[in-house]
Amino acid sequence: MTDSGSHHPATEPISVFLLDDHEVVRRGVHDLLEAEPDIRVVGEASTAEQALVRVPALRPRVAVLDVRLQDGDGVTVCRELRSRMPDLACLMLTSFDDEEALLDAIMAGASGYVLKQISGTDLVTAVRTVASGKSMLDPGATARVMARMRGEVPQEEQVPGLPGFTDREKEILVLVSEGLTNREIGKRLYLAEKTVKNIVSRLFIKLGVDRRVQAAVIASHTLVPSNRQPGRPA
């Protein structure tokens, strides 16, 4: 038994915890990482609730977290775990190239953000990279996100009628005008409720309003008509 880690401490394997609500994906990542001599999977979970209990108990060096879960989201798990374990490296794993989720991951203290389409070799490299204290956040995507945080939107992404607004912001603004709550918008667009809340807050600042009804009025006059096409139900 080497649980104590007293044997060969200089070459102690990188301990990894996996959180993914799809068993097939979790098993595939488990087998991929376990095949490496310097990596050891010490635990797994299929829900955010399980991960928040098991990770602090197992104290892994790296947590590979699925962004979208049945009972929550990996970014929130990352934020909570990092508040308890500042040395934990969180590697976000997602099927979707979503800049809003990347922004949330950066703000939550994630060390890396990679797509599930990544090759097995690259995923292993990502785990080793974040375990060494380095970042695996794509420089180009991170630069775009940081520019967006400063309110800079590329010309090609601006929405006609509302300069400076992205398609995602326009989409959420329309749903606000329909009276949906942040939670309902999150379910509709497969986003974490906190992600929606952050976007809505930025929308209020951009629009110069402080209430949803004010934003809804602007959306109904500026966006909704252009989103309804003849012959298609509203």
Side-chain angles (χ1 to χ4, degrees):
M1 298 292 288
T2 58
D3 288 15
S4 65
S6 58
H7 298 98
H8 308 293
T11 57
E12 185 179 349
I14 299 167
S15 53
V16 178
F17 188 95
L18 305 177
L19 168 61
D20 197 300
D21 54 8
H22 292 94
E23 183 184 357
V24 173
V25 173
R26 204 169 63 246
R27 185 173 297 178
V29 175
H30 176 283
D31 292 348
L32 175 73
L33 296 180
E34 278 285 328
E36 300 297 320
D38 61 331
I39 299 175
R40 183 164 57 98
V41 177
V42 295
E44 299 180 20
S46 60
T47 67
E49 184 180 17
Q50 291 173 349
L52 290 172
V53 172
R54 296 174 185 174
V55 174
L58 294 167
R59 313 294 297 182
R61 199 187 316 177
V62 177
V64 178
L65 309 173
D66 188 11
V67 170
R68 299 183 183 183
L69 304 165
Q70 295 293 330
D71 69 329
D73 66 277
V75 174
T76 300
V77 173
C78 171
R79 184 179 296 107
E80 293 193 26
L81 289 176
R82 292 264 307 160
S83 69
R84 302 185 216 172
M85 305 167 59
D87 293 334
L88 175 68
C90 292
L91 179 64
M92 312 309 299
L93 192 60
T94 179
S95 303
F96 306 93
D97 187 6
D98 184 342
E99 285 190 12
E100 296 297 345
L102 172 56
L103 170 59
D104 277 358
I106 293 171
M107 301 300 286
S111 299
Y113 188 98
V114 296
L115 297 177
K116 287 184 179 177
Q117 294 89 324
I118 192 173
S119 71
T121 301
D122 287 344
L123 180 58
V124 170
T125 299
V127 168
R128 291 187 179 123
T129 299
V130 299
S132 70
K134 298 176 184 175
S135 173
M136 265 298 295
L137 294 166
D138 178 73
T142 304
R144 290 197 304 273
V145 167
M146 291 309 179
R148 193 151 298 182
M149 286 177 69
R150 294 191 296 268
E152 303 166 9
V153 180
Q155 190 69 35
E156 66 273 13
E157 292 186 23
Q158 294 184 5
V159 179
L162 275 181
F165 283 68
T166 65
D167 286 340
R168 172 50 59 81
E169 289 172 334
K170 176 189 70 172
E171 190 175 20
I172 288 179
L173 194 51
V174 169
L175 295 178
V176 167
S177 75
E178 294 175 2
L180 273 65
T181 65
N182 291 347
R183 177 168 294 192
E184 291 168 338
I185 293 172
K187 287 182 178 178
R188 180 82 64 90
L189 301 180
Y190 303 99
L191 293 172
E193 183 179 354
K194 183 166 181 60
T195 298
V196 176
K197 182 180 179 182
N198 290 341
I199 297 172
V200 170
S201 295
R202 291 207 304 275
L203 288 175
F204 283 7
I205 294 171
K206 285 186 176 184
L207 294 170
V209 303
D210 55 13
R211 290 190 297 153
R212 293 177 84 90
V213 65
Q214 294 170 313
V217 169
I218 294 174
S220 64
H221 283 83
T222 312
L223 295 175
V224 176
S226 65
N227 278 276
R228 290 178 178 163
Q229 300 177 24
R232 183 175 293 180

